[in-house]
C-alpha cells in the first residue's frame, strides 16, 4: 500500500496513520515526528526547524524535502509506505512526485480527511501525549484513568508546544492558504478519496480501512 494521509492539522492523520501502518507492516513516515525527534536530539536540522515549528509556521521546503529523500533512501518501502504531513506545499508535492517516480513507487491513493476548523481547535488544544511512549490522549474525548498520567507506563502526559490555540489557528491558516492548494494536483491524477473525520475515531478508522481495502 502506497498511501498519503492528507488534511488539516488535528484531523487524525497521526492517530489513524500509525494504526494503519502498523497493521499493514509498512513504515509510517511523518515529517512532524521526524522533526520533533531531530529537535529532541538537537541535530543541525532540529536546531534550524525549531524556530519555525515553535510559532506554528512551516519549516522551509529544502529542509523537509531533504528529510524525505533521506527517509526514502533507507530502502524499507518495498512493501509500501504511509505518508503523513508531507507534502504541505506545491514545491514539496512536485519534489515528492519526482522522487517516487525515480523509485518506481508512485502513490496509489490520497485520503483526504475532512473536519470543520472549530472542531479541530477543540481537538488539538485538548491533545496530550505520553512523554515516554507517545500514546495519544485527549482531556475530554480520550481521558487517561488518572489525570495527566499515561495508562500504559505511568509517565507524565505533555502538551505539544505548538498545540496552543494561537498556534493552532496559525497552523490552520497555513493549511488553508498553502497546503490545500496541493489537492487539485492529486485530483487531476484521480487518486483522491474523501473521508469525513468529524465522527468517532473508530468509525473514521473503519471508513479508512474500507477505502484502502483494495490497496
Ligand atoms: P505535524 O506533526 O505534521 O502537525 O507537524 C508539526 C509541525 O512540523 C508543523 O506545524 C510544521 O512546523 C512542521 N512540519 C511538519 N511537516 C512539514 C512539512 N511537510 N513542511 C513544512 N513544515 C512541516
Amino acid at each position: 500500500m502506497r498511501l498519503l494521509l492528507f488534511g488539516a492539522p488535528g484531523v487524525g492523520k497521526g492517530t489513524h496513520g500509525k494504526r494503519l501502518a502498523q497493521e499493514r507492516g509498512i513504515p509510517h513516515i511523518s515529517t512532524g515526528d521526524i522533526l520533533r525527534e531531530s529537535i529532541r536530539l538537537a541535530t543541525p536540522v532540529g536546531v534550524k526547524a525549531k524556530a519555525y515549528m515553535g510559532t506554528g509556521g512551516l519549516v522551509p521546503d529544502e529542509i523537509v524535502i531533504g528529510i524525505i529523500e533521506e527517509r526514502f533512501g533507507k530502502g524499507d518501502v518495498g512493501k509500501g509506505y504511509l505518508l503523513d504531513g508531507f507534502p504541505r506545499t506545491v514545491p514539496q508535492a512536485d519534489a515528492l512526485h519526482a522522487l517516487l517516480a525515480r523509485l518506481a513507487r508512485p502513490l496509489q491513493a490520497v485520503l483526504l480527511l475532512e473536519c470543520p476548523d472549530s472542531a479541530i481547535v477543540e481537538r488539538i488544544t485538548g491533545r496530550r501525549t505520553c512523554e515516554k511512549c507517545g500514546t495519544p490522549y485527549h482531556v475530554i474525548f480520550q481521558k487517561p484513568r488518572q489525570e495527566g498520567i499515561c495508562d500504559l507506563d505511568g509517565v507524565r502526559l505533555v502538551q505539544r508546544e505548538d498545540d496552543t490555540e494561537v498556534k493552532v489557528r496559525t497552523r490552520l491558516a497555513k493549511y488553508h492558504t498553502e497546503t490545500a492548494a496541493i489537492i487539485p494536483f492529486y485530483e487531476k491524477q484521480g487518486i483522491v478519496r474523501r473521508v469525513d473525520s468529524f465522527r468517532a475515531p473508530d468509525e473514521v478508522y473503519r471508513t479508512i480501512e474500507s477505502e484502502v481495502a483494495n490497496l
Side-chain angles (χ1 to χ4, degrees):
M1 181 176 73
R2 301 184 303 275
L3 183 70
L4 166 60
L5 278 193
F6 199 88
V11 286
K13 302 187 298 293
T15 307
H16 297 306
K18 280 194 184 93
R19 184 170 167 188
L20 184 59
Q22 196 176 18
E23 282 180 13
R24 293 291 191 105
I26 56 173
H28 168 244
I29 302 179
S30 151
T31 38
D33 283 351
I34 296 172
L35 286 164
R36 278 184 290 279
E37 183 64 4
S38 308
I39 291 176
R40 198 180 66 79
L41 299 172
T43 66
V45 161
V47 171
K48 276 191 220 150
K50 195 173 169 34
Y52 300 96
M53 289 174 75
T55 62
L58 292 181
V59 173
D61 287 340
E62 62 272 19
I63 295 182
V64 283
I65 291 169
I67 286 176
I68 282 295
E69 286 181 340
E70 193 184 322
R71 180 63 190 80
F72 273 82
K74 278 194 178 174
D76 60 352
V77 296
K79 239 182 108 184
Y81 55 82
L82 188 153
L83 273 166
D84 157 7
F86 184 95
R88 266 176 154 100
T89 65
V90 171
Q92 290 179 25
D94 289 339
L96 178 67
H97 191 69
L99 171 70
L100 296 177
R102 268 201 317 275
L103 297 173
R105 293 275 182 280
L107 281 167
Q108 294 169 301
V110 176
L111 286 195
L112 173 54
L113 305 187
E114 298 179 299
C115 186
D117 281 3
S118 53
I120 287 178
V121 172
E122 191 182 21
R123 278 187 191 184
I124 299 194
T125 53
R127 205 153 69 165
R128 301 290 183 272
T129 317
C130 172
E131 236 184 351
K132 188 171 166 218
C133 69
T135 302
Y137 294 88
H138 192 281
V139 294
I140 300 167
F141 308 124
Q142 204 181 338
K143 291 182 180 176
R145 284 194 294 272
Q146 190 187 341
E147 196 186 321
I149 301 291
C150 179
D151 292 346
L152 304 182
D153 51 24
V155 170
R156 195 169 67 110
L157 303 183
V158 291
Q159 182 178 35
R160 258 170 59 174
E161 196 196 338
D162 57 349
D163 275 356
T164 58
E165 181 162 353
V166 172
K167 290 175 190 175
V168 171
R169 294 205 183 273
T170 307
R171 288 160 64 200
L172 278 172
K174 285 273 172 207
Y175 175 77
H176 291 298
T177 56
E178 288 192 52
T179 307
I182 303 171
I183 299 167
F185 174 79
Y186 292 122
E187 266 171 346
K188 270 190 220 123
Q189 297 172 36
I191 56 172
V192 175
R193 304 175 188 188
R194 290 171 188 265
V195 174
D196 174 9
S197 81
F198 190 29
R199 294 177 296 157
D202 280 341
E203 232 176 281
V204 176
Y205 190 71
R206 275 197 297 278
T207 307
I208 292 176
E209 275 184 317
S210 70
E211 287 291 346
V212 301
N214 61 342
L215 302 183

